[in-house]
Amino acid sequence: MVVLNKIYTKTGDSGETALGNGTRVAKHSARVTAYGTVDETNATFGLARQHASGDIDAQLAAIQNDLFDLGADLCRPDMDKDATAEYPPLRVSAEQVSRLETEIDAMNERLTPLRSFVLPGGSALAANLHLCRTVSRRAERLCVELAAQETINPAVVKYLNRLSDWCFVASRIANDDGKADVLWVPGANR
């Protein structure tokens, strides 16, 4: 269990921070940037939840918990060594990715196929889910960049990839099952 008695430690004042295994790295390192953007993604889901209720709110809550798992995964870089550590690292699992896929499929069954691209907007929940989608895509790109430099859990990238898809489909559900989607009209303002 995490115990936070003191919030500021002054250990980061020189521009470094500690990873989950104790290694000190620059705050601008690719790993810290990646998990920091995952944290930002989680904050956008908190905003979306202000407009959600019922099943979708429960799904958003589960995603927020998953995103904390994902951040914890990213902050422990020693993939091969940590499995035998006193406190084994938390890793995102294939089951978490599968859960998103199942939810996407269930939501998508309610929707008619699109004939145009969708503009971010519509209901407040849909607009916030589009924000979640774009920030999670950025987190995914940063994790792909990190994976080109260091070893990371492959499920991290898969989860973030499915998450942005989940957000898109959920935004359509939030727009009256797609009936209130705001559709792109190419060249409408020429």
Side-chain angles (χ1 to χ4, degrees):
M1 179 55 66
V2 175
V3 178
L4 300 173
N5 291 328
K6 188 170 184 175
I7 301 305
Y8 67 90
T9 62
K10 301 182 183 180
T11 60
D13 290 352
S14 65
E16 290 188 343
T17 191
L19 298 178
N21 65 0
T23 304
R24 305 274 314 160
V25 298
K27 288 185 176 187
H28 65 272
S29 75
R31 186 170 294 275
V32 175
T33 299
Y35 72 68
T37 305
V38 168
D39 187 36
E40 182 183 354
T41 303
N42 205 337
T44 64
F45 277 86
L47 287 172
R49 288 190 68 199
Q50 299 303 304
H51 305 283
S53 61
D55 289 343
I56 195 135
D57 184 51
Q59 290 170 330
L60 290 168
I63 288 168
Q64 283 195 288
N65 202 78
D66 286 350
L67 287 170
F68 251 83
D69 290 354
L70 200 146
D73 189 326
L74 286 170
C75 87
R76 293 285 297 267
D78 301 324
M79 291 293 292
D80 55 342
K81 298 176 188 173
D82 283 346
T84 59
E86 181 181 353
Y87 299 103
L90 184 59
R91 298 290 181 215
V92 172
S93 69
E95 291 77 21
Q96 287 168 295
V97 175
S98 294
R99 189 194 77 243
L100 288 180
E101 291 172 349
T102 299
E103 291 174 2
I104 291 167
D105 291 344
M107 289 186 288
N108 209 37
E109 285 180 13
R110 296 169 46 181
L111 302 171
T112 58
L114 282 168
R115 303 277 184 245
S116 176
F117 288 104
V118 175
L119 299 177
S123 70
L125 177 56
N128 276 276
L129 287 167
H130 279 289
L131 179 62
C132 294
R133 175 183 58 78
T134 60
V135 177
S136 67
R137 279 283 186 217
R138 180 161 34 95
E140 177 190 4
R141 290 189 302 272
L142 291 168
C143 287
V144 168
E145 183 179 357
L146 174 62
Q149 301 168 26
E150 301 179 39
T151 302
I152 68 168
N153 176 0
V156 163
V157 173
K158 289 177 185 176
Y159 185 92
L160 290 170
N161 185 272
R162 296 311 178 283
L163 183 59
S164 57
D165 295 335
W166 187 98
C167 291
F168 178 76
V169 175
S171 74
R172 296 198 65 215
I173 295 297
N175 276 339
D176 193 20
D177 290 348
K179 295 177 198 78
D181 281 340
V182 180
L183 300 179
W184 174 48
V185 180
N189 300 312
R190 289 186 187 179

